[in-house]
Amino acid sequence: MYTADIDPICKMHVDEKTQFKSIYKNKEYFFCSETCKKKFDELDKNVIRVRRSLKDKERISFGRLKREIIDPGICTLCGACVASCEVLSVINRKPALNGQCTACGVCYNQCPRTITTESSLIGSVQDVFSAKSAIPEVKGQNGGAVTSMLLYAFEEGLIDSAVVTVKSAEEPWRPMPIVAQTREDILRSAGSIYVHSLTMEALMTAIKRGSRSIGFVGPSCNIDAVHKMQNSPYGLLHMFMRVNILKIGLFCMDTFNYEGLKNFLEEKEIQLSTVLEMKIRKGKIIVRAESEHIFPLSDLDVYRNGSCTVCTDLTAEKSDLSFGGVGSKEGYTTVLARTGLGLELFHDAEDRGYIKIEPLGGKGLDNVLHEGKAKKVQMYMIKKRGALHIK
Ligand SMILES: Cc1cc2nc3c(=O)[nH]c(=O)nc-3n(C[C@H](O)[C@H](O)[C@H](O)COP(=O)(O)OP(=O)(O)OC[C@H]3O[C@@H](n4cnc5c(N)ncnc54)[C@H](O)[C@@H]3O)c2cc1C
Ligand code: SF4
Ligand code: SF4
Ligand code: SF4
């Protein structure tokens, strides 16, 4: 039977019956020629191991390193790529090819500026799901999983209040953070408002009122604030030591300035008071009023909050559970269970009939990772857009 392997030096397929072999850490390596075998025996074997582990994965060429790191001007000139490959050298103060690239991916994976692991894109995760509410009254932004989780935790007595955001009664679509202490309050908080919400103020109100187990919902910047207040020895730690907070994070790419969003829609002859729903999907904002209007998200770039242009955490990495739209089919919410507590409560909510769970397919997770990466590297884009002058 013909068996083939990859020569770790030249990456050619070689017959395992070849006479050119080497054993390294109990593993046998095969070569096309004496030259490759000699190079292998002399080279740092760790580099070879990376090359081998990459052989079945996506082919990554130097072009990608050039496109993502060198051309945007964020290469630190550390020399890791050049040191890892014979066909690379520094030319005109930039790493460049001096021979044929075989797309082994080593340089890309060595570079300190590339993001190459799942956890560096979306934080640590124990399990991933697609979920939707099993409660008919819940009308959520995606699958209503957030609202149903809160209902479960509240009705099972696990939390005594929830910090959520509702629409202001005075100004349509102005976010109003509240301390929900009834089923009705939790139900009316369903849906997303793409404007910063002052959730920490409501959290402090809940604590001062004596709540001791609180469900808290917010995007990463809000979750980070809770995390800091829980852990910082300065200031308010003593208050946070007395409460348990279930941190429910929302994926978040952008929020917009309220007045800007309002003016934008009014220019299109859409009054905020008539808007029933806003959704962001695939680079578009979908506004449902008497009829449906779709605009490219880039039209709203000027109203994007400055804080969001430097934010690199899409999935609220410090949460117990994170929820988002990307990755799941219409009518479902993507859920990342991060902590043991989050995972246990999520399964219990299913057992008690509050949510329905499906596994998140590989493509769904790929989409989450893709969007996570877009967010992580957006700092680099600042340079591209010329907003900062980094030399
Ligand atoms: C500002 C913002 C930006 C988002 N961007 C993305 C994105 O780029 N990609 C993506 O996949 N998902 C994004 N999401 C998450 C998505 O819109 C849904 O919130 C999530 O999928 C949960 O859906 P659901 O139906 O389970 O939630 P629901 O059951 O509808 O519950 C929604 C929860 O969101 C809370 N909420 C609404 N607006 C705010 C706000 N401004 N601040 C704090 N909490 C709020 C409500 O209190 C409610 O508890 C964003 C959400 C927000 C609020
Ligand atoms: S390490 Fe060398 S051969 Fe491999 S992708 Fe980079 S430039 Fe190409
Ligand atoms: S490894 Fe990355 S940062 Fe270092 S020189 Fe190469 S491209 Fe630049
Ligand atoms: S993009 Fe970041 S800073 Fe902006 S609202 Fe979302 S989590 Fe907060």
Side-chain angles (χ1 to χ4, degrees):
M1 190 183 70
Y2 174 80
T3 50
D5 209 312
I6 303 279
D7 179 326
I9 299 291
C10 66
K11 263 85 71 209
M12 271 175 57
H13 284 271
V14 280
D15 190 331
E16 288 180 3
K17 285 189 206 126
T18 174
Q19 53 175 309
F20 308 113
K21 299 176 189 175
S22 279
I23 290 181
Y24 176 69
K25 290 201 173 167
N26 298 327
K27 229 179 196 167
E28 201 165 25
Y29 293 83
F30 305 94
F31 306 93
C32 68
S33 63
E34 180 61 35
T35 320
C36 280
K37 178 178 154 44
K38 197 159 169 273
K39 272 191 185 167
F40 177 85
D41 292 338
E42 286 165 359
L43 269 173
D44 179 346
K45 304 298 193 299
N46 284 333
V47 175
I48 305 297
R49 278 221 322 281
V50 178
R51 284 187 172 164
R52 272 187 66 92
S53 72
L54 284 165
K55 78 178 163 63
D56 295 328
K57 296 189 182 158
E58 186 192 355
R59 308 275 288 162
I60 301 173
S61 72
F62 175 70
R64 186 152 162 200
L65 188 68
K66 187 170 177 309
R67 200 170 53 247
E68 291 183 16
I69 310 295
I70 300 167
D71 288 349
I74 54 165
C75 160
T76 66
L77 262 186
C78 72
C81 56
V82 174
S84 316
C85 179
E86 292 155 10
V87 299
L88 286 180
S89 47
V90 174
I91 303 171
N92 292 333
R93 293 179 44 78
K94 283 182 181 173
L97 281 173
N98 59 30
Q100 182 69 41
C101 170
T102 54
C104 69
V106 170
C107 57
Y108 187 86
N109 280 277
Q110 309 297 299
C111 175
R113 282 293 164 102
T114 56
I115 305 166
T116 51
T117 61
E118 288 182 2
S119 64
S120 56
L121 292 174
I122 56 168
S124 66
V125 169
Q126 297 203 18
D127 214 341
V128 295
F129 308 95
S130 222
K132 69 174 190 172
S133 172
I135 309 290
E137 301 119 280
V138 173
K139 305 282 175 254
Q141 180 74 8
N142 293 124
V146 169
T147 304
S148 277
M149 266 310 287
L150 289 175
L151 283 178
Y152 149 77
F154 184 67
E155 292 176 351
E156 294 295 322
L158 304 171
I159 56 173
D160 51 45
S161 68
V163 170
V164 288
T165 298
V166 298
K167 293 179 202 94
S168 153
E170 284 81 45
E171 283 184 281
W173 287 89
R174 169 86 74 184
M176 196 176 70
I178 62 160
V179 182
Q181 285 181 301
T182 63
R183 179 182 172 90
E184 289 65 38
D185 275 348
I186 292 175
L187 280 171
R188 79 186 170 103
S189 72
S192 297
I193 306 168
Y194 298 107
V195 175
H196 276 315
S197 170
L198 224 64
T199 50
M200 296 307 290
E201 207 173 53
L203 179 60
M204 210 46 100
T205 305
I207 294 172
K208 286 179 184 161
R209 276 187 200 161
S211 271
R212 288 295 169 259
S213 293
I214 303 168
F216 176 91
V217 185
S220 70
C221 52
N222 294 200
I223 297 287
D224 287 353
V226 179
H227 179 81
K228 272 203 169 167
M229 285 176 128
Q230 278 180 316
N231 293 287
S232 164
Y234 297 98
L236 300 167
L237 181 64
H238 61 286
M239 297 187 83
F240 283 86
M241 283 168 89
R242 283 188 260 136
V243 289
N244 297 310
I245 302 174
L246 176 66
K247 293 193 273 292
I248 295 186
L250 303 175
F251 292 12
C252 182
M253 204 55 142
D254 306 284
T255 51
F256 305 97
N257 167 285
Y258 177 78
E259 277 70 30
L261 188 61
K262 184 168 181 262
N263 292 342
F264 173 82
L265 292 176
E266 281 175 0
E267 274 170 22
K268 312 280 180 199
E269 298 182 351
I270 306 165
Q271 299 305 312
L272 270 179
S273 55
T274 65
V275 173
L276 303 168
E277 187 186 43
M278 287 191 224
K279 258 193 180 166
I280 294 180
R281 282 240 157 195
K282 298 183 179 164
K284 301 211 164 52
I285 180 157
I286 303 150
V287 181
R288 193 164 62 81
E290 281 119 32
S291 55
E292 196 173 85
H293 308 262
I294 303 177
F295 307 104
L297 208 46
S298 51
D299 286 2
L300 283 166
D301 257 2
V302 284
Y303 306 117
R304 203 173 172 218
N305 285 313
S307 55
C308 304
T309 62
V310 294
C311 173
T312 55
D313 179 358
L314 173 79
T315 59
E317 294 173 21
K318 292 196 175 74
S319 318
D320 292 297
L321 289 160
S322 300
F323 297 80
V326 62
S328 286
K329 60 190 175 197
E330 194 77 30
Y332 279 76
T333 310
T334 296
V335 185
L336 310 181
R338 299 184 181 281
T339 60
L341 174 75
L343 185 62
E344 197 178 320
L345 294 185
F346 191 63
H347 280 307
D348 201 42
E350 182 191 29
D351 292 346
R352 287 170 198 273
Y354 282 85
I355 48 171
K356 290 181 182 150
I357 301 181
E358 287 185 9
L360 184 72
K363 191 160 184 295
L365 184 58
D366 281 351
N367 289 342
V368 176
L369 292 168
H370 183 75
E371 196 145 317
K373 183 159 187 180
K375 185 91 170 158
K376 288 281 178 222
V377 301
Q378 74 163 351
M379 291 280 280
Y380 301 171
M381 303 304 184
I382 290 173
K383 167 77 169 63
K384 265 195 189 164
R385 288 179 191 164
L388 280 184
H389 299 285
I390 310 161
K391 289 261 173 225

